Amino acid sequence: MAAGLAMSAATLAATGSWKAGATAPPGYGGTEKPPAAARPPTERRTVSALVRIADAEAVRLLRAGDRVDVVAAAEDSEARVIASGARVARVPGPTGANEDGGAARTGAVGVGGGALVVLSVPRDTATALAGAGAAGPLAVTVWSPPSPP
């Protein structure tokens, strides 16, 4: 049940309710748009994408704030980058939190193997990640931190 709720929340986060030209919800005066403060910014917004990475040990090495590329490869084709420079927002643990309240470092291991990671990406990238994850296994490559000057 928890997995279903998490997927529902991710879907809502990824789809949102305001699109260009959308009318206001009840309480904003019929067909007019809500005040600017209530509208999402027009620049490229990010959403949280729940992504299952095939190699759970690779996910174990990730930390919040890391930048990664997410790569998909079908058995009969070359690898392709689905998301470049995605920010790791969270690495959930298999049973929630450790004693200190932090996420367990093994990643949420699921029925299909691999481990779950939450990435902060633009909405269109989240859609591409969901499609690629449904089609086959995904991998990550970690960006190296910048070298000191």
Side-chain angles (χ1 to χ4, degrees), residues 59-64 88-108 116-118:
V59 172
R60 188 178 63 80
L61 299 173
L62 298 176
R63 301 288 182 261
V88 175
R90 185 166 175 245
V91 182
T95 58
N98 288 329
E99 293 172 5
D100 65 359
R105 299 306 327 156
T106 57
L116 187 66
V117 63
V118 181

Side-chain angles (χ1 to χ4, degrees), residues 24-55:
Y28 281 108
T31 60
E32 51 188 72
K33 290 186 178 180
R39 287 194 308 259
T42 56
E43 66 270 3
R44 196 171 167 170
R45 292 180 293 155
T46 59
V47 297
S48 294
L50 305 171
V51 180
R52 183 154 309 279
I53 303 301
D55 184 353

